[in-house]
Amino acid sequence: MTTFTQLNEQDAPGISIHPDRRISKINPNIYAGFTEHMGRCIYGGIYDPGSPLSDENGFRKDVLEALKTLNIPVVRYPGGNFMATYHWLDGVGPKDQRPSRPELAWLGTETNQFGTDEFLKWCEVLETEPYFCLNFGTGTLDEALAWLEYCNGTRDTYYANLRRKNGRQEPYNVKYWALGNEVWGPWQVEQTTKEAYAHKAYQWAKALKLLDPSIQLILCGQDGTASWDYYTLKHCMLPVNSPLSTSGVPLIDMHSIHLYTASSSHLPNATAPLAAERAIEITSSLIDLARIENGVPNDQVRPTICFDEWNVWDPIRAEGSKGAEETYTLSDALAVGVWLNVFIRKSKDVGMACIAQTVNVISPLMTTKDGIIKQTTWWPLYLFSKYMRGWTISAHVSAATYDGETSPKWVRGVKDTPWLDVSATLGEDGYVNVVVINIHEEKAFETKLDGPTGEVTVFTVTGENPTVTNMKGKEEVGISESTWSAQGSYVFPKHSLTLLRWKA
């Protein structure tokens, strides 16, 4: 949690950090990933069996090595919009018997050479948990139950035995399952209404948890600010043993929301993720409202928010049907830093967040036939995933604000937009970690810091200007490491992300 006092432009900013004031535990799942059968995310991204850089499974070793440094806890699969016409049985069993199908989300052809068993094997190699999204378009409840049985079944039943026949004796124990993806959107095959979705989602949830009560189910929300979110929460977040369900466990564990931000202008781009912060706040209130209106008892676990698609993405400059391969700038890296600051500040409410996507498609990591490229946005993600864990702690920022146009425009009326965007954590190792993002294009800020003691390790991400990239044959944005004595003020460079780290 970070509080804010607005100063005049001529006043020197200040930041106070309070390690003794723990606000909320940070769920490691905020550093989750997302892989979709889209562009080069799967084929040529994580799976490239013809490459000398791949292992015996066809997995790109350089991609795995890079992703392991992020300590990714969960990866969502196989979509996304792709899910609306995907049938999981096409992607299991002997590869020479798997059908190729027209793919309607991104207008491609799906060969099904990479499917359930390949993805779950990849997760085991990466040491991450899988998160599956169910087909709420052309799929059926029987198909969903069969997939759950295939993955988690332990009995002598048809789909559990099919898994064994395909070479996997023990269950995979897939914990996270989404009840559809963006089914409110006109781009979806089998787009539906909030009324029809809420009824279907709750009935599917009841059946899925009868088969496996241990799983966690994620409701399909919109962006957290829509009537869709209110209606689906109101009609699906019911007390245990309500008249619609005899289940002894809650049927809905998380509520999913999605948002992408982007602007061609630096300052609207860097402040755009504050829209996500307001969306989380609104969604949290809608969860409380649904629980109050439905009489959910206080001892029933409160659902959290699953922000399972987020990133900087301009679908005009990186069109989805053409692979959505973004070239990210320093400005985009600072925006990703603000996104991650939001998740730290709102850790009480966020149970999972999945950057979309993990490789090649609107991704911080790109593959070539010769290796990988770490885009500008890789570096804030790396620093956060390595250091910003444990507990969100209290911080207070006093600073002047950016008062210009925002994207979306409504951010201007609902959020402060200080020049310094801040979050702070206390790790289990006893270290305080503070991220300060100076979004100003032209001005460094000499800032009084109240809290740091002893020697402070400093990591800085910046570049010559907000437009520089890492996609032109040289790395123009990376991490520089230094130390600071914690004496006097600290100067945060213009257009920079700084992580300060010291022993509490």
Side-chain angles (χ1 to χ4, degrees):
M1 178 180 178
T2 302
T3 53
F4 173 65
T5 298
Q6 184 172 345
L7 301 180
N8 295 322
E9 197 67 38
Q10 67 272 17
D11 295 334
I15 301 172
S16 299
I17 308 298
H18 305 280
D20 56 331
R21 300 178 188 173
R22 299 184 184 188
I23 305 300
S24 50
K25 196 80 171 67
I26 298 165
N27 194 316
N29 288 351
I30 67 170
Y31 299 117
F34 175 35
T35 55
E36 181 171 3
H37 284 256
M38 175 184 182
R40 294 194 306 123
C41 183
I42 302 295
Y43 303 110
I46 69 174
Y47 182 69
D48 196 1
S51 171
L53 300 177
S54 298
D55 65 14
E56 66 278 7
N57 300 302
F59 305 153
R60 280 284 292 253
K61 291 183 289 187
D62 51 354
V63 171
L64 284 166
E65 183 180 358
L67 294 179
K68 283 181 178 179
T69 67
L70 299 180
N71 194 19
I72 300 171
V74 179
V75 179
R76 184 173 179 240
Y77 175 84
N81 296 343
F82 173 81
M83 272 312 299
T85 59
Y86 178 67
H87 299 284
W88 70 271
L89 277 167
D90 288 343
V92 299
K95 291 191 177 184
D96 60 358
Q97 297 177 27
R98 298 184 189 181
S100 292
R101 305 281 193 194
E103 193 284 301
L104 301 184
W106 309 112
L107 305 180
T109 299
E110 176 52 52
T111 66
N112 287 301
Q113 293 301 290
F114 187 96
T116 298
D117 292 297
E118 287 79 20
F119 177 72
L120 292 172
K121 175 66 175 178
W122 182 80
C123 285
E124 288 181 344
V125 175
L126 184 58
E127 299 179 334
T128 190
E129 278 198 80
Y131 164 24
F132 280 168
C133 183
L134 295 167
N135 180 348
F136 258 58
T138 60
T140 65
L141 176 55
D142 278 346
E143 184 180 20
L145 290 167
W147 202 11
L148 178 58
E149 180 190 336
Y150 184 90
C151 292
N152 294 4
T154 59
R155 291 179 280 176
D156 182 16
T157 55
Y158 180 82
Y159 289 106
N161 286 335
L162 180 61
R163 181 195 70 235
R164 297 178 183 110
K165 179 182 177 182
N166 288 337
R168 172 75 179 203
Q169 292 299 312
E170 297 303 315
Y172 287 112
N173 297 319
V174 178
K175 180 179 180 180
Y176 302 104
W177 298 79
L179 297 166
N181 172 80
E182 295 184 3
V183 293
W184 43 268
W187 50 86
Q188 284 294 310
V189 174
E190 288 283 332
Q191 177 192 9
T192 190
T193 64
K194 59 184 181 292
E195 294 84 3
Y197 172 76
H199 173 78
K200 180 178 178 179
Y202 197 79
Q203 295 306 315
W204 278 42
K206 180 165 59 174
L208 290 160
K209 287 215 172 180
L210 283 171
L211 182 60
D212 186 348
S214 72
I215 61 173
Q216 292 206 2
L217 293 176
I218 294 92
L219 194 66
C220 175
Q222 191 167 330
D223 64 2
T225 68
S227 59
W228 176 285
D229 296 285
Y230 168 72
Y231 187 92
T232 55
L233 283 165
K234 164 71 173 174
H235 289 270
C236 294
M237 194 169 298
L238 301 176
V240 168
N241 293 320
S242 73
L244 286 177
S245 173
T246 57
S247 174
V249 296
L251 296 187
I252 302 301
D253 300 284
M254 286 189 268
H255 182 76
S256 164
I257 59 176
H258 292 176
L259 184 67
Y260 295 95
T261 62
S263 175
S264 57
S265 299
H266 166 60
L267 290 170
N269 189 50
T271 54
L274 298 176
E277 189 161 24
R278 190 68 184 115
I280 292 167
E281 292 163 353
I282 293 170
T283 306
S284 178
S285 294
L286 291 177
I287 290 171
D288 286 343
L289 182 59
R291 285 168 62 86
I292 292 167
E293 289 188 339
N294 292 335
V296 176
N298 293 332
D299 59 356
Q300 184 169 316
V301 176
R302 182 180 184 272
T304 55
I305 296 165
C306 184
F307 217 127
D308 53 10
E309 286 189 34
W310 71 270
N311 205 345
V312 176
W313 179 23
D314 183 342
I316 295 175
R317 73 186 182 200
E319 191 176 337
S321 62
K322 295 181 180 178
E325 297 196 12
E326 281 272 24
T327 295
Y328 285 119
T329 64
L330 172 61
S331 176
D332 297 327
L334 300 183
V336 165
V338 175
W339 265 107
L340 292 165
N341 268 351
V342 165
F343 295 141
I344 295 299
R345 292 195 291 257
K346 295 299 170 184
S347 63
K348 175 180 177 292
D349 292 307
V350 181
M352 187 187 297
C354 306
I355 187 169
Q357 294 184 13
T358 300
V359 188
N360 288 329
V361 177
I362 51 174
S363 176
L365 187 66
M366 307 294 291
T367 62
T368 70
K369 64 181 179 63
D370 300 316
I372 57 175
I373 299 169
K374 294 174 179 176
Q375 292 222 63
T376 60
T377 55
W378 173 269
W379 300 111
L381 185 62
Y382 172 80
L383 285 174
F384 271 83
S385 65
K386 186 170 184 179
Y387 296 115
M388 300 296 281
R389 296 175 182 265
W391 292 83
T392 298
I393 58 174
S394 174
H396 185 79
V397 179
S398 300
T401 61
Y402 161 66
D403 294 324
E405 182 181 352
T406 58
S407 177
K409 292 184 183 297
W410 59 259
V411 170
R412 171 56 56 230
V414 299
K415 295 298 293 183
D416 294 315
T417 51
W419 290 117
L420 301 179
D421 191 272
V422 178
S423 73
T425 69
L426 177 65
E428 301 291 353
D429 57 3
Y431 276 82
V432 176
N433 302 279
V434 179
V435 169
V436 180
I437 301 168
N438 179 4
I439 64 172
H440 206 297
E441 292 177 273
E442 300 172 349
K443 186 176 180 181
F445 287 102
E446 183 173 347
T447 304
K448 180 183 178 182
L449 289 176
D450 181 14
T453 57
E455 184 174 87
V456 178
T457 303
V458 180
F459 301 94
T460 306
V461 177
T462 190
E464 185 177 346
N465 62 69
T467 67
V468 296
T469 76
N470 285 354
M471 293 290 286
K472 298 176 181 177
K474 67 175 183 177
E475 190 174 276
E476 297 195 64
V477 176
I479 297 174
S480 63
E481 183 175 348
S482 59
T483 58
W484 175 52
S485 66
Q487 300 299 310
S489 299
Y490 188 87
V491 178
F492 293 102
K494 62 184 178 181
H495 49 69
S496 68
L497 180 152
T498 304
L499 190 151
L500 305 170
R501 175 174 166 80
W502 68 90
K503 188 73 172 178

